[in-house]
Amino acid sequence: MITSLASSHDADVATAGARAGADVVRTLYGRHLARVDKRAGDFATTADIESEKAILDVIRAARPDDAVLGEEGGQQGAADAARQWLVDPLCGTLNYAVGTMLVAVNVALRDGPAAVADPFSGEVFFTDGESAWVRQDGADDALLTPTSATRLVDVNLDPPFPSAPGFRAVDLLAHPDFTERFRPRVVSTTLALAWVAAGRRAGYVTDGGDLSGSVHFAAGIALCRAAGCVVTGIDGAPIGGTTTRGLVAAADEETHGLLMSGTRRV
């Protein structure tokens, strides 16, 4: 299967890589796993490391000349390469480590196709850069269609908070415009971005720097853009700008406007 991907579309490579990582994450779930401390309470597990290896096996077999930036393995190949894959093998390690099945496996070609796999639902959300779909074994691919109907908004409350005191996610939750229109959720994984693209969430908000080249966020941003969501920084600026901070992904313009009104301090 891996060898046959050499002549496949990049979206197929992203999807196969995400599936390979998800298989590892699902297989190792619930086992006693070694912990690798990284920084300030952040850590990886054996599942993170083995999932990344499985993803890299797919990418190297299909696209041997491409560069890769992995959450665990770092940069492989030139950082300024024309083609670079961004890999987050287990987004939601803290959830996973305590037995919470809210995690994602993210694989994205920078500024190109991408895939986000949910190891436990078996779903893979993917885009060819123009449209976005969800695939599940035994079912036809379904086009992702954003909608704000659920009124549910995921808000990332994890540090760092580079935009404080001008913006604090916790302040958004108490903003009158937010409490009147939305109900907050915190899943602590960028699987939530795939849910915005799929219409299961009305929006997603996080602080941070420029997230367009982040292994954590690139795949989810690509999905949302291809599905037709409104995606900007928390200041409303386009993602990828030199001064962009954070991320607001919304199902439509109205939802985006309401969320933006809440990102400004009362």
Side-chain angles (χ1 to χ4, degrees), residues 20-184:
D23 287 345
V24 172
V25 170
R26 185 173 54 255
T27 298
L28 295 180
Y29 178 75
R31 300 187 186 184
H32 179 72
L33 301 175
R35 169 173 167 152
V36 180
D37 289 314
K38 291 160 52 169
R39 57 190 177 277
D42 190 16
F43 63 91
T45 70
T46 303
D48 299 69
I49 296 168
E50 294 302 317
S51 172
E52 184 164 305
K53 288 179 181 177
I55 296 166
L56 294 185
D57 283 346
V58 173
I59 295 174
R60 286 170 178 155
R63 302 291 187 267
D65 297 327
D66 289 359
V68 177
L69 176 61
E71 165 70 2
E72 308 308 332
Q75 182 68 46
Q76 299 180 43
D80 59 352
R83 290 174 54 88
Q84 182 185 53
W85 293 88
L86 306 171
V87 174
D88 184 356
L90 205 176
C91 183
T93 300
L94 289 170
N95 284 346
Y96 187 80
V98 297
T100 301
M101 296 181 183
L102 285 172
V103 301
V105 176
N106 301 320
V107 180
L109 179 64
R110 186 186 289 272
D111 300 322
V116 175
D118 181 339
F120 299 106
S121 73
E123 294 174 309
V124 181
F125 305 85
F126 67 99
T127 174
D128 60 2
E130 296 180 1
S131 299
W133 301 268
V134 60
R135 174 179 299 166
Q136 191 162 28
D137 290 338
D140 294 335
D141 295 346
L143 190 68
L144 297 185
T145 306
T147 173
S148 60
T150 67
R151 314 311 294 173
L152 300 177
V153 174
D154 273 298
V155 181
N156 181 16
L157 299 179
D158 289 338
F161 309 117
S163 301
F167 167 77
R168 292 189 180 93
V170 68
D171 293 336
L172 172 63
L173 303 184
H175 194 285
D177 288 346
F178 187 94
T179 57
E180 180 181 352
R181 302 293 188 98
F182 302 112
R183 291 295 177 266

Side-chain angles (χ1 to χ4, degrees), residues 238-256:
I239 294 293
T242 56
T243 60
T244 303
R245 284 190 178 276
L247 174 66
V248 177
D252 50 47
E253 291 283 359
E254 179 186 8
T255 302
H256 183 267

Side-chain angles (χ1 to χ4, degrees), residues 144-154 182 192-205 223-232 248-260:
L144 297 185
T145 306
T147 173
S148 60
T150 67
R151 314 311 294 173
L152 300 177
V153 174
D154 273 298
F182 302 112
L193 278 171
W195 290 348
V196 176
R200 302 176 191 177
R201 294 289 191 269
Y204 175 86
V205 181
L223 281 174
C224 285
R225 282 175 164 166
C229 301
V230 181
V231 183
T232 70
V248 177
D252 50 47
E253 291 283 359
E254 179 186 8
T255 302
H256 183 267
L258 290 167
L259 291 174
M260 289 303 301

